[in-house]
Amino acid sequence: MTAVPTYDMPDERGHFGRFGGRFMPEALVGPLEEITIAWHEAQNDPTFTNELERMMREYANVPSPLYEARRFSKAAGARILLKREDLNHTGAHKIRNVIGQALLAKRLGKPRAIAETGAGQHGVASATACAYLDLECTVYMGAVDVERQALNVARMRMLGAEVVAVEHGSRTLKDAINEALRDWVTTVDTTHYLFGTAAGPHPFPTMVRDLVRGIGDEAKAQCLELTGKLPDAAVACVGGGSNAIGLFTAFIGDESVALYGMEAGGDGVDTDRHAATISNGSVGVLHGARSYLLQDEDGQTLESHSISAGLDYPGVGPEHAYLAATGRAKYQAITDAEAMEAFELLCRTEGIIPAIESAHALAGSLKVAKELGPDAVIVVNLSGRGDKDVQTAAEWFGLLGGDAK
Amino acid sequence: MTSLDETLARVRAEGRAALVGYWPAGFPTKERSIRAIETMIAAGADIIEVGLPYSDPVMDGGTIQAAAGQALAAGTRISDVFDVVEASVAAGAATVVMTYWNPVERYGVDRFASDLAKAGGAGLITPDMIPDEAEEWTSASETHDLNRIYLVAPSSTDSRLAMTANEASGFIYATAVMGVTGQREQTSSAAPTLVARLRDVTDKPIGVGLGVSSGEQAHEVAAFADAVIVGSALIKCVLDADDEESGLAALRELTLELRAGVERD
């Protein structure tokens, strides 16, 4: 084995090479520094880590299994192992992040948490963690998404959260983040911002990574036990990038493991309707960090498009920008059509309805399987379940109404 | 020494605070934004902050969001911002640009600085770019002799106040409250404390903004600050007006009131 240089990103100011950092109003720099220090201390405090580990095990159903998808593998032409984050409480990897951050909010003495949400998955996870840990919860959601995702809005309210429909800008996820930041700058003495992905200003990209990296740590041990070796590739979908960085982190030092991030290609990256930030965007600053984003000539943020609400974001976490720039991970775009084909394939071969986000990773694994051949072992992060997507998928496949096939 | 430094020195010698008016370039159109700025200058604004309208203004409340949204919908580009700066300078005010960071980075930091200097602009206010990330901007601003105006807040630690004051030039922008831009009923009790903490670490001029909307409030702030910054209240004059004429009349009236307010008796 060749010696691998130690990976020690980010630097102490949150830079991953030229990416990341803290592009934030000064008013929030003090609070961000407070979180940075508190998180560092918490990680080294067994009282905190034991408590978090217990909650993960007892409440969140973590660790999740690594499941050998035999019939899907046959169709793919390689050995596909699914990291079953869809079996976690609330149905996605996001519970790992929110429980950790909610517990940190308690430690910081903050009685209130705010969160942004696109489709509502992070909002539901946040509302769940806040109910579980007795925190007041406000979720900001673009007005367009509030209309599209009525069931998730009801879920959050059922769990005791206040849901605020954001009417500014494009009235979607990025505007929900803007509004949450406006709330936070006003209420930071009493409020923790439960940021939903491995993006934003330092320390969020690093803290969220640390909280979700169990996905890859577990998968690595499970893969060794199951197959006796490391996988040849690890594949995950990338929106903001939390589930992907959660899977990748354990493998970054293992050069033999190829890392693939699958972005939302929407109608195709040759159209202007996609969310393929790394594959088709450019370097800039959005929501507190330098990374890739979709922007026009003047640096105005462009709207993204994807069938998957969870990937429909014009930015991406800075560590993915770094992994892409250094070539350690490869990023590709998967179109809506390719994702939905893989969605259907998993339903029919395994009896598992994946989240449409995760279907992008599945579609990517079909391509990677062709590249690597039948002996390859590929770990795919099945980051969430598809119950929330039944309406969208049913419309896509024409399963509603009297004319259904 | 920039035109901003000169204006602040002159106003200080006059024994009053400077009145700083914020206006988004292109709101409601490019031509009308120029007429609004000329109106403020004629009514006594010493310094103009030209806002660069941006798609994701996280530090701004509803009024400036609405104005910036209209400016973008009217097709405002970065080159228009420089034209508005040029017109503001021609009308006789020291003029700076207030902008979120991404448009500058996208345009090219040195190119932006160069074009701003060519338009007669004195510097940049950067609400989401702190000195910690400013390497490229520090060098470009030195090259083109522009002021670096940074924000500080009640939550800033003593060491950050000192560091930021040290890196800043022109003036230091003290945000009076923890929050976003917009009018408030009462002036902040945090502002005098923040300014006093700043005075302990710097002799540079200090401007106070966020929430100032009346002559009375301006007067209170002028007692302890070198510059009084007003944005949303001015913009509302035009945002809420039925036509351009009545909007500009209201704008002129408020500016006169604020200008009288910044005198220290």
Side-chain angles (χ1 to χ4, degrees):
Chain A
M1 250 175 100
T2 52
V4 174
T6 320
Y7 181 83
D8 60 354
M9 289 290 155
D11 69 15
E12 61 178 23
R13 290 192 298 134
H15 294 108
F16 301 84
R18 65 189 286 223
F19 303 104
R22 207 176 253 170
F23 291 83
M24 273 282 120
E26 168 67 22
L28 291 174
V29 172
L32 288 166
E33 199 50 36
E34 183 193 11
I35 295 171
T36 308
I37 292 164
W39 174 238
H40 182 75
E41 288 171 358
Q43 277 182 301
N44 293 296
D45 177 356
T47 319
F48 182 90
T49 52
N50 290 339
E51 180 78 339
L52 182 55
E53 202 268 339
R54 179 186 66 77
M55 289 176 172
M56 284 298 157
R57 195 179 59 243
E58 287 180 0
Y59 184 72
N61 202 27
V62 161
S64 62
L66 187 70
Y67 163 77
E68 177 145 22
R70 290 189 176 79
R71 293 191 63 222
F72 187 83
S73 293
K74 202 171 172 199
R79 195 171 174 189
I80 308 283
L81 309 178
L82 300 179
K83 182 60 175 163
R84 296 291 307 273
E85 290 293 294
D86 60 319
L87 298 177
N88 298 351
H89 181 42
T90 73
H93 74 287
K94 289 186 179 290
I95 194 75
R96 297 178 186 255
N97 174 35
V98 291
I99 295 281
Q101 283 199 52
L103 195 59
L104 187 71
K106 297 292 273 190
R107 187 183 169 94
L108 286 164
K110 310 242 164 153
R112 176 174 180 258
I114 55 171
E116 81 291 345
T117 197
Q121 292 312 105
H122 175 59
V124 169
S126 297
T128 301
C130 288
Y132 177 57
L133 285 166
D134 190 22
L135 292 164
E136 195 188 323
C137 183
T138 300
V139 179
Y140 290 94
M141 187 169 187
V144 171
D145 293 326
V146 168
E147 281 164 35
R148 289 195 291 208
Q149 303 287 340
L151 264 183
N152 270 344
V153 173
R155 274 192 189 106
M156 288 182 262
R157 289 180 175 149
M158 233 172 263
L159 291 160
E162 177 197 15
V163 180
V164 178
V166 176
E167 299 282 358
H168 308 298
S170 59
R171 307 193 301 154
T172 58
L173 175 58
K174 81 175 179 67
D175 307 283
I177 294 176
N178 294 343
E179 201 58 21
L181 284 167
R182 291 181 190 116
D183 177 319
W184 202 35
V185 77
T186 312
T187 61
V188 68
D189 281 348
T190 59
T191 300
H192 177 71
Y193 186 2
L194 233 163
F195 200 68
T197 189
H202 179 59
F204 284 110
T206 309
M207 180 169 65
V208 175
R209 173 193 74 188
D210 294 345
L211 284 168
V212 297
R213 66 164 294 163
I215 301 168
D217 290 333
E218 294 160 20
K220 188 173 179 175
Q222 290 162 326
C223 182
L224 281 168
E225 197 182 310
L226 189 71
T227 69
K229 57 173 195 161
L230 288 173
D232 298 291
V235 183
C237 64
V238 179
S242 68
N243 92 80
I245 209 67
L247 179 65
F248 291 175
T249 298
F251 298 109
I252 286 175
D254 300 314
E255 279 182 335
S256 68
V257 183
L259 305 176
Y260 292 92
M262 299 299 164
E263 299 193 295
D267 291 349
V269 291
D270 49 348
T271 73
D272 59 3
R273 291 177 56 83
H274 63 79
T277 314
I278 295 177
S279 318
N280 250 48
S282 52
V283 175
V285 171
L286 177 66
H287 294 144
R290 183 177 289 118
S291 186
Y292 288 91
L293 62 133
L294 303 179
Q295 57 182 333
D296 73 9
E297 255 182 278
D298 275 1
Q300 310 286 354
T301 312
L302 295 172
E303 279 179 50
S304 54
H305 293 276
S306 169
I307 190 170
S308 147
L311 303 181
D312 197 351
Y313 176 60
V316 67
E319 191 164 12
H320 287 296
Y322 178 75
L323 293 174
T326 58
R328 177 61 190 95
K330 295 192 183 87
Y331 296 82
Q332 299 173 6
I334 299 293
T335 63
D336 288 353
E338 290 170 327
M340 293 314 289
E341 204 177 313
F343 177 100
E344 186 177 39
L345 183 63
L346 192 74
C347 290
R348 299 298 172 89
T349 56
E350 299 289 345
I352 298 171
I353 301 177
I356 297 178
E357 290 80 11
S358 317
H360 287 70
L362 293 165
S365 76
L366 298 174
K367 294 188 178 187
V368 173
K370 283 205 182 73
E371 256 175 63
L372 301 183
D375 296 332
V377 173
I378 302 170
V379 170
V380 180
N381 195 10
L382 192 61
S383 54
R385 68 178 179 222
D387 304 45
K388 69 185 177 62
D389 294 320
V390 167
Q391 177 77 23
T392 308
E395 282 167 17
W396 178 273
F397 294 114
L399 307 179
L400 297 169
D403 59 347
K405 287 170 201 157
Chain B
M1 201 158 182
T2 68
S3 55
L4 175 63
D5 298 323
E6 284 165 14
T7 300
L8 287 165
R10 174 174 54 77
V11 168
R12 182 178 270 189
E14 290 172 16
R16 63 177 177 92
L19 175 61
V20 184
Y22 169 89
W23 202 268
F27 166 70
T29 64
K30 182 174 168 181
E31 290 68 29
R32 287 182 62 185
S33 68
I34 290 171
R35 287 199 286 275
I37 287 167
E38 288 168 346
T39 302
M40 290 192 289
I41 295 169
D46 301 292
I47 297 162
I48 296 294
E49 288 178 12
V50 175
L52 193 157
Y54 176 53
S55 53
D56 295 274
V58 295
M59 269 292 282
D60 287 307
T63 303
I64 293 180
Q65 285 178 45
Q70 285 190 28
L72 287 174
T76 306
R77 301 289 310 268
I78 291 177
S79 58
D80 297 315
V81 175
F82 296 128
D83 293 345
V84 173
V85 168
E86 210 169 300
S88 173
V89 172
T95 304
V96 296
V97 166
M98 184 156 186
T99 179
Y100 291 91
W101 190 242
N102 194 51
V104 179
E105 183 143 323
R106 180 69 164 162
Y107 194 83
V109 178
D110 190 75
R111 179 177 165 226
F112 194 102
S114 169
D115 287 357
L116 177 60
K118 267 185 232 155
L124 271 189
I125 304 173
T126 53
D128 66 344
M129 208 273 295
I130 54 179
D132 316 54
E133 304 286 351
E135 207 175 315
E136 207 180 346
W137 165 230
T138 302
S139 127
S141 57
E142 296 292 338
T143 306
H144 300 284
D145 192 23
L146 294 168
N147 289 129
R148 293 182 295 276
I149 300 151
Y150 293 116
L151 276 60
V152 294
S155 61
S156 301
T157 58
D158 289 340
S159 64
R160 288 199 62 83
L161 286 184
M163 181 278 285
T164 305
N166 191 48
E167 295 297 322
S169 65
F171 64 90
I172 297 145
Y173 191 133
T175 53
V177 290
M178 291 298 290
V180 296
T181 58
Q183 291 175 247
R184 287 171 179 82
E185 292 293 315
Q186 290 179 327
T187 40
S188 146
S189 59
T193 312
L194 175 58
V195 172
R197 290 172 62 209
L198 266 174
R199 299 278 189 214
D200 284 342
V201 295
T202 185
D203 294 330
K204 291 174 183 170
I206 298 166
V208 169
L210 255 57
V212 182
S213 62
S214 69
E216 200 180 325
Q217 288 177 326
H219 193 66
E220 281 176 43
V221 173
F224 59 87
D226 303 296
V228 179
I229 304 162
V230 185
S232 299
L234 294 165
I235 290 165
K236 261 184 96 59
C237 295
V238 167
L239 202 59
D240 296 347
D242 295 329
D243 54 46
E244 182 177 12
E245 198 183 336
S246 62
L248 290 182
L251 181 62
R252 185 183 133 76
E253 200 168 314
L254 178 59
T255 309
L256 287 169
E257 178 190 323
L258 292 164
R259 180 65 169 75
V262 299
E263 305 286 343
R264 293 206 188 95
D265 305 321

